[in-house]
């Protein structure tokens, strides 16, 4: 259940006040569904970090979204180019090559940078930036969580 939005009658009708309600129903997960169980546990870790007031770093997720958006834009250019097919083969070929490169970049990014990470935190005060990872083997009930400092590349 998301936040409830309430508007006061006596104030400006265009000002919206948000009221948080913490009445959440427990997540229902089937015991045989390892992927669903891992997703629910990962979401619980992220929620616990937010409740503790730890700032999350969304740079990796934003980069993945930007690469995916660029691939979609390339696909739209290929689809909606104003010339008809025999005369736009070069545009189509360039767009297919760009789409393939962006898809490969997204896969490379996910396997080398993201790995098993659930989230990244920002450094604050005396606490370093952290990477929170989890793993769960197929057909297993063992779930492993690891927290380690973010290594600066270079």
């Amino acid at each position: 259940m998301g936040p409830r939005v309430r508007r006061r009658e006596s104030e400006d009708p265009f000002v919206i006040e948000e009221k948080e309600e913490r009445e959440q129903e427990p997540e229902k997960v089937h015991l045989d569904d390892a992927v669903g169980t891992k997703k629910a546990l990962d979401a619980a870790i992220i929620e616990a970090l937010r409740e503790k007031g730890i700032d999350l770093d969304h740079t990796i997720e934003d980069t993945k979204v930007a690469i995916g958006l660029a691939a979609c834009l390339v696909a739209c250019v290929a689809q909606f180019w104003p010339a008809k097919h025999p005369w736009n083969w070069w545009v189509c070929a360039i767009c297919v090559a760009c789409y393939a490169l962006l898809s490969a970049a997204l896969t490379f990014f996910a396997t080398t940078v993201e790995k098993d990470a659930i989230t990244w935190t920002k450094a604050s005060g005396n606490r370093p930036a952290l990477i929170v990872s989890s793993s769960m083997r197929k057909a297993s009930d063992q779930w492993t969580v690891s927290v380690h400092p973010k290594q600066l590349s270079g």
Side-chain angles (χ1 to χ4, degrees), residues 23 56 59 112 149:
E23 299 173 16
L56 302 181
T59 306
T112 60

Side-chain angles (χ1 to χ4, degrees), residues 84-153:
K84 296 295 180 189
H85 173 58
W87 297 279
N88 75 344
W89 67 268
W90 57 274
V91 172
C92 203
I94 291 171
C95 288
V96 167
C98 289
Y99 186 84
L101 286 173
L102 289 169
S103 293
L106 190 58
T107 301
F108 178 77
F109 192 79
T111 56
T112 60
V113 176
E114 187 179 33
K115 298 180 184 175
D116 288 333
I118 300 170
T119 190
W120 294 261
T121 66
K122 294 180 181 177
S124 68
N126 60 356
R127 185 182 44 82
L130 301 173
I131 300 174
V132 181
S133 305
S134 75
S135 62
M136 185 176 201
R137 291 185 180 253
K138 204 173 194 180
S140 173
D141 61 347
Q142 301 292 318
W143 179 57
T144 306
V145 176
S146 64
V147 178
H148 51 281
K150 188 187 304 184
Q151 298 295 326
L152 297 175
S153 59

Side-chain angles (χ1 to χ4, degrees), residues 15-91:
V15 175
I16 296 175
E17 177 184 312
E18 290 188 16
K19 180 183 175 187
E20 285 277 335
E21 289 186 9
R22 289 291 175 183
E23 299 173 16
Q24 295 179 352
E25 293 186 23
E27 180 108 16
K28 294 181 182 180
V29 178
H30 296 285
L31 295 177
D32 297 336
D33 184 13
V35 174
T37 302
K38 184 179 180 313
K39 281 184 178 181
L41 292 170
D42 291 350
I45 285 187
I46 291 172
E47 185 63 31
L49 289 172
R50 284 185 182 142
E51 286 178 2
K52 290 285 184 183
I54 296 174
D55 291 329
L56 302 181
D57 185 8
H58 299 286
T59 306
I60 303 297
E61 290 95 347
D62 293 344
T63 304
K64 284 175 49 180
V65 168
I67 294 171
L69 181 62
C72 289
L73 290 174
V74 166
C76 286
V77 167
Q79 178 68 31
F80 299 113
W81 192 258
K84 296 295 180 189
H85 173 58
W87 297 279
N88 75 344
W89 67 268
W90 57 274
V91 172

